Amino acid sequence: DTGVSQDPRHKITKRGQNVTFRCDPISEHNRLYWYRQTLGQGPEFLTYFQNEAQLEKSRLLSDRFSAERPKGSFSTLEIQRTEQGDSAMYLCASTSGGTVYEQYFGPGTRLTVT
Amino acid sequence: GQNIDQPTEMTATEGAIVQINCTYQTSGFNGLFWYQQHAGEAPTFLSYNVLDGLEEKGRFSSFLSRSKGYSYLLLKELQMKDSASYLCAVRAPQAGTALIFGKGTTLSVSS
């Protein structure tokens, strides 16, 4: 257990539905990242927050994706009008910065779109 | 462009030593990370290199050559529990502080 939690752990939804995932980072970490991982691939960066500010977004993050971190603590990732291609593991990571900036990952939310 | 290459799969036996290579081509470089990921679990941090040379941490060591765009992870005294995917990741300035991951190397350790 890294101290980063994600909810839910699994989500099955029908194409076209909206889904929302939550990430609770390690409490003193001010930087939070979302990644997406598909089978046989490494995690791919989606977006990054420093405190409540969303500072970076990957071109992978289409208009159907939105992320928030309203009080600089937990974060949510919403996918609207889900597509089968959205099926993946969604990972959240946090870091406090410093010299190494090692990222601590949560257990992930596995999304299956049917 | 950005490219990180690792072998897809490797096999080894308990007690042996295995070296997992990683080559990278990124626009800029700000550190290389190795993560371990067991099936269905989150990646966990193993090592970090930003300067050339070898970093040793118990049974695991990681090496970096920035001029060659090359790193390796060395695992000694292999145990069955080391069976996992090993992810090489680079932090490059154009990606801010986010990590660019390779596809991972699946290591299978047999008795």
Side-chain angles (χ1 to χ4, degrees):
Chain A
D1 184 357
T2 62
V4 180
S5 62
Q6 292 187 245
D7 183 70
R9 295 291 306 276
H10 302 275
K11 178 71 177 179
I12 300 174
T13 191
K14 293 185 177 179
R15 189 176 54 187
Q17 298 294 304
N18 298 346
V19 293
T20 301
F21 311 141
R22 176 179 170 125
C23 170
D24 287 87
I26 295 172
S27 59
E28 62 268 26
H29 285 185
N30 62 346
R31 298 166 188 250
L32 186 148
Y33 304 80
W34 284 98
Y35 292 86
R36 180 174 68 187
Q37 186 176 26
T38 54
L39 198 62
Q41 303 293 315
E44 296 174 293
F45 168 70
L46 292 177
T47 190
Y48 155 59
F49 290 85
Q50 182 166 330
N51 299 313
E52 65 275 9
Q54 188 173 19
L55 297 185
E56 294 170 33
K57 287 197 291 187
S58 161
R59 64 180 183 275
L60 292 175
L61 212 67
S62 76
D63 291 345
R64 296 185 298 105
F65 288 70
S66 62
E68 294 182 339
R69 194 182 183 198
K71 298 181 179 179
S73 56
F74 73 91
S75 176
T76 58
L77 178 68
E78 181 183 17
I79 309 175
Q80 296 182 327
R81 305 181 304 281
T82 52
E83 301 173 356
Q84 287 189 320
D86 297 331
S87 295
M89 176 76 85
Y90 289 84
L91 293 164
C92 172
S94 70
T95 183
S96 61
T99 305
V100 178
Y101 287 95
E102 63 187 83
Q103 296 183 17
Y104 294 84
F105 283 83
T109 295
R110 181 166 295 284
L111 173 66
T112 302
V113 181
T114 61
Chain B
Q2 300 164 131
N3 195 41
I4 300 176
D5 285 319
Q6 313 176 225
T8 303
E9 294 181 343
M10 297 184 72
T11 59
T13 54
E14 267 188 306
I17 298 173
V18 70
Q19 177 174 310
I20 303 174
N21 295 325
C22 170
T23 57
Y24 64 90
Q25 292 176 308
T26 56
S27 303
F29 176 84
N30 200 15
L32 186 142
F33 295 75
W34 284 95
Y35 279 81
Q36 180 190 60
Q37 187 176 28
H38 286 99
E41 298 182 10
T44 55
F45 171 77
L46 289 178
S47 69
Y48 169 74
N49 297 72
V50 67
L51 300 176
D52 291 351
L54 188 68
E55 294 283 341
E56 297 186 79
K57 191 187 292 186
R59 294 189 299 114
F60 294 2
S61 303
S62 57
F63 172 83
L64 175 67
S65 169
R66 289 172 296 171
S67 62
K68 295 181 180 179
Y70 168 69
S71 173
Y72 68 71
L73 180 69
L74 193 71
L75 293 77
K76 303 175 186 175
E77 301 169 14
L78 281 173
Q79 303 173 11
M80 298 290 283
K81 68 178 181 179
D82 297 329
S83 293
S85 178
Y86 291 86
L87 299 162
C88 174
V90 171
R91 187 167 62 220
Q94 77 276 17
T97 61
L99 297 177
I100 306 164
F101 283 87
K103 293 183 178 181
T105 299
T106 300
L107 174 65
S108 299
V109 180
S110 59
S111 57

